[in-house]
PDB file of all heavy atoms in Angstrom:
ATOM      1  N   SER A  87     -12.777 -70.434  43.128  1.00  0.00           N
ATOM      2  CA  SER A  87     -13.025 -69.071  42.647  1.00  0.00           C
ATOM      3  C   SER A  87     -13.186 -68.036  43.760  1.00  0.00           C
ATOM      4  O   SER A  87     -13.213 -66.846  43.498  1.00  0.00           O
ATOM      5  CB  SER A  87     -14.300 -69.052  41.791  1.00  0.00           C
ATOM      6  OG  SER A  87     -15.440 -69.140  42.620  1.00  0.00           O
ATOM      7  N   ILE A  88     -13.283 -68.489  45.004  1.00  0.00           N
ATOM      8  CA  ILE A  88     -13.529 -67.533  46.103  1.00  0.00           C
ATOM      9  C   ILE A  88     -12.243 -67.283  46.874  1.00  0.00           C
ATOM     10  O   ILE A  88     -11.666 -68.208  47.453  1.00  0.00           O
ATOM     11  CB  ILE A  88     -14.600 -68.076  47.077  1.00  0.00           C
ATOM     12  CG1 ILE A  88     -15.928 -68.245  46.359  1.00  0.00           C
ATOM     13  CG2 ILE A  88     -14.768 -67.136  48.274  1.00  0.00           C
ATOM     14  CD1 ILE A  88     -16.997 -68.915  47.195  1.00  0.00           C
ATOM     15  N   ALA A  89     -11.813 -66.052  46.876  1.00  0.00           N
ATOM     16  CA  ALA A  89     -10.589 -65.727  47.612  1.00  0.00           C
ATOM     17  C   ALA A  89     -10.874 -65.710  49.118  1.00  0.00           C
ATOM     18  O   ALA A  89     -10.168 -66.338  49.899  1.00  0.00           O
ATOM     19  CB  ALA A  89     -10.058 -64.373  47.155  1.00  0.00           C
ATOM     20  N   ILE A  90     -11.930 -64.985  49.535  1.00  0.00           N
ATOM     21  CA  ILE A  90     -12.263 -64.871  50.966  1.00  0.00           C
ATOM     22  C   ILE A  90     -13.648 -65.495  51.180  1.00  0.00           C
ATOM     23  O   ILE A  90     -14.640 -64.980  50.675  1.00  0.00           O
ATOM     24  CB  ILE A  90     -12.304 -63.395  51.426  1.00  0.00           C
ATOM     25  CG1 ILE A  90     -11.027 -62.662  51.021  1.00  0.00           C
ATOM     26  CG2 ILE A  90     -12.513 -63.314  52.937  1.00  0.00           C
ATOM     27  CD1 ILE A  90     -11.045 -61.166  51.304  1.00  0.00           C
ATOM     28  N   PRO A  91     -13.740 -66.592  51.935  1.00  0.00           N
ATOM     29  CA  PRO A  91     -15.039 -67.267  52.090  1.00  0.00           C
ATOM     30  C   PRO A  91     -15.962 -66.582  53.094  1.00  0.00           C
ATOM     31  O   PRO A  91     -16.431 -67.192  54.057  1.00  0.00           O
ATOM     32  CB  PRO A  91     -14.646 -68.674  52.543  1.00  0.00           C
ATOM     33  CG  PRO A  91     -13.333 -68.508  53.211  1.00  0.00           C
ATOM     34  CD  PRO A  91     -12.642 -67.332  52.561  1.00  0.00           C
ATOM     35  N   CYS A  92     -16.225 -65.301  52.860  1.00  0.00           N
ATOM     36  CA  CYS A  92     -17.119 -64.509  53.723  1.00  0.00           C
ATOM     37  C   CYS A  92     -18.549 -64.672  53.211  1.00  0.00           C
ATOM     38  O   CYS A  92     -18.797 -64.556  52.018  1.00  0.00           O
ATOM     39  CB  CYS A  92     -16.695 -63.049  53.656  1.00  0.00           C
ATOM     40  SG  CYS A  92     -17.880 -61.902  54.371  1.00  0.00           S
ATOM     41  N   THR A  93     -19.491 -64.916  54.126  1.00  0.00           N
ATOM     42  CA  THR A  93     -20.891 -65.111  53.712  1.00  0.00           C
ATOM     43  C   THR A  93     -21.674 -63.805  53.680  1.00  0.00           C
ATOM     44  O   THR A  93     -22.840 -63.796  53.283  1.00  0.00           O
ATOM     45  CB  THR A  93     -21.608 -66.074  54.675  1.00  0.00           C
ATOM     46  OG1 THR A  93     -21.652 -65.460  55.966  1.00  0.00           O
ATOM     47  CG2 THR A  93     -20.910 -67.417  54.740  1.00  0.00           C
ATOM     48  N   GLY A  94     -21.065 -62.712  54.161  1.00  0.00           N
ATOM     49  CA  GLY A  94     -21.770 -61.422  54.167  1.00  0.00           C
ATOM     50  C   GLY A  94     -22.777 -61.289  55.286  1.00  0.00           C
ATOM     51  O   GLY A  94     -23.637 -60.408  55.250  1.00  0.00           O
ATOM     52  N   CYS A  95     -22.673 -62.113  56.317  1.00  0.00           N
ATOM     53  CA  CYS A  95     -23.666 -62.086  57.417  1.00  0.00           C
ATOM     54  C   CYS A  95     -23.608 -60.775  58.206  1.00  0.00           C
ATOM     55  O   CYS A  95     -24.574 -60.391  58.850  1.00  0.00           O
ATOM     56  CB  CYS A  95     -23.468 -63.269  58.348  1.00  0.00           C
ATOM     57  SG  CYS A  95     -21.909 -63.200  59.279  1.00  0.00           S
ATOM     58  N   ALA A  96     -22.462 -60.119  58.195  1.00  0.00           N
ATOM     59  CA  ALA A  96     -22.266 -58.807  58.847  1.00  0.00           C
ATOM     60  C   ALA A  96     -22.270 -58.855  60.368  1.00  0.00           C
ATOM     61  O   ALA A  96     -22.389 -57.824  61.013  1.00  0.00           O
ATOM     62  CB  ALA A  96     -23.299 -57.788  58.346  1.00  0.00           C
ATOM     63  N   TYR A  97     -22.129 -60.044  60.964  1.00  0.00           N
ATOM     64  CA  TYR A  97     -22.053 -60.117  62.432  1.00  0.00           C
ATOM     65  C   TYR A  97     -20.819 -59.382  62.957  1.00  0.00           C
ATOM     66  O   TYR A  97     -20.765 -58.980  64.103  1.00  0.00           O
ATOM     67  CB  TYR A  97     -21.996 -61.578  62.900  1.00  0.00           C
ATOM     68  CG  TYR A  97     -23.252 -62.369  62.627  1.00  0.00           C
ATOM     69  CD1 TYR A  97     -23.201 -63.720  62.295  1.00  0.00           C
ATOM     70  CD2 TYR A  97     -24.507 -61.772  62.714  1.00  0.00           C
ATOM     71  CE1 TYR A  97     -24.351 -64.441  62.039  1.00  0.00           C
ATOM     72  CE2 TYR A  97     -25.663 -62.490  62.449  1.00  0.00           C
ATOM     73  CZ  TYR A  97     -25.575 -63.820  62.116  1.00  0.00           C
ATOM     74  OH  TYR A  97     -26.714 -64.539  61.853  1.00  0.00           O
ATOM     75  N   CYS A  98     -19.822 -59.233  62.112  1.00  0.00           N
ATOM     76  CA  CYS A  98     -18.539 -58.683  62.552  1.00  0.00           C
ATOM     77  C   CYS A  98     -18.527 -57.164  62.681  1.00  0.00           C
ATOM     78  O   CYS A  98     -17.680 -56.611  63.377  1.00  0.00           O
ATOM     79  CB  CYS A  98     -17.456 -59.090  61.571  1.00  0.00           C
ATOM     80  SG  CYS A  98     -17.872 -58.641  59.860  1.00  0.00           S
TER      81      CYS A  98
END
Side-chain angles (χ1 to χ4, degrees):
S87 75
I88 297 174
I90 309 174
C92 168
T93 64
C95 67
Y97 294 145
C98 54

